[in-house]
Amino acid sequence: MRAIRVASAALLGSMTALTLAMPVAVAEGDGEHEPDRDITSFGFNVSPTTIAAGGRVSLSVNGCKKETKVSSGVFDTVTIHKGQSNASATVDWDAKPGAVYEVTFQCGHESGHTDLTIAGGRPDDPTHPPVHRGVKAGVGGTAGGFDLGQIGLGAALIAGSVGAAYHWSRRRSGEQGG
């Protein structure tokens, strides 16, 4: 009977520690992937987001009441005139396969950024067929982004909770048996 009380107290303590530690971990984020890193009053898009060198991308903007300049290190600067919402750009032939380039949309004094990935191979060029390297799978669920300090802090919180639960259950048992 006493083992059940100790086990349930330890479980309750560890669940409490995990519950209290979770908001900190969620609030910090991993900082690696932030889809809304540039919140603007206007919308913007590059399509497709992955393209081979020499390919054409569609650039679109909505909600910008001024002229929009779209620039990147992989194509010439494009102007989307006031009242228009679309333009296109040709990716440079010397763009490095696998590289990720930042595309900047400048509307007045406000700017937003998104990424453009260069795929392997070149369109309409049989001497450079596309190179398929498989799927980029990521880091495996929620384990990505944790560092050794966060893991150590979580382990210390759990150990402290289990130790406190054990201490209080032993103390209470000693008072009743005594």
Side-chain angles (χ1 to χ4, degrees):
M1 182 74 164
R2 190 167 114 191
I4 293 173
R5 279 189 297 202
V6 171
S8 63
L11 181 62
L12 181 62
S14 63
M15 293 305 292
T16 302
L18 288 174
T19 303
L20 294 174
M22 186 183 71
V24 174
V26 171
E28 286 181 357
D30 62 7
E32 292 177 12
H33 178 67
E34 298 178 23
D36 293 330
R37 64 184 174 153
D38 288 299
I39 298 175
T40 60
S41 64
F42 65 96
F44 54 89
N45 187 36
V46 174
S47 179
T49 57
T50 301
I51 192 160
R56 253 178 118 63
V57 291
S58 175
L59 310 167
S60 61
V61 64
N62 61 355
C64 180
K65 306 289 188 220
K66 301 176 181 176
E67 187 175 83
T68 304
K69 298 276 187 187
V70 185
S71 60
S72 178
V74 74
F75 57 79
D76 293 332
T77 300
V78 175
T79 301
I80 302 176
H81 297 284
K82 182 179 175 180
Q84 294 180 341
S85 60
N86 294 312
S88 62
T90 302
V91 175
D92 296 338
W93 281 99
D94 60 350
K96 182 179 176 188
V100 178
Y101 292 89
E102 186 175 81
V103 179
T104 302
F105 289 79
Q106 182 77 35
C107 173
H109 298 293
E110 191 175 12
S111 67
H113 309 277
T114 190
D115 292 333
L116 177 63
T117 304
I118 306 302
R122 295 180 176 157
D124 306 326
D125 188 356
T127 62
H128 294 90
V131 177
H132 298 286
R133 293 190 174 94
V135 177
K136 183 177 178 184
V139 293
T142 60
F146 281 115
D147 63 0
L148 197 54
Q150 290 175 329
I151 293 171
L153 179 62
L157 285 171
I158 292 170
S161 297
V162 170
Y166 178 75
H167 171 74
W168 288 107
S169 66
R170 295 285 294 164
R171 183 174 175 200
R172 179 169 262 189
S173 297
E175 290 174 357
Q176 291 176 355

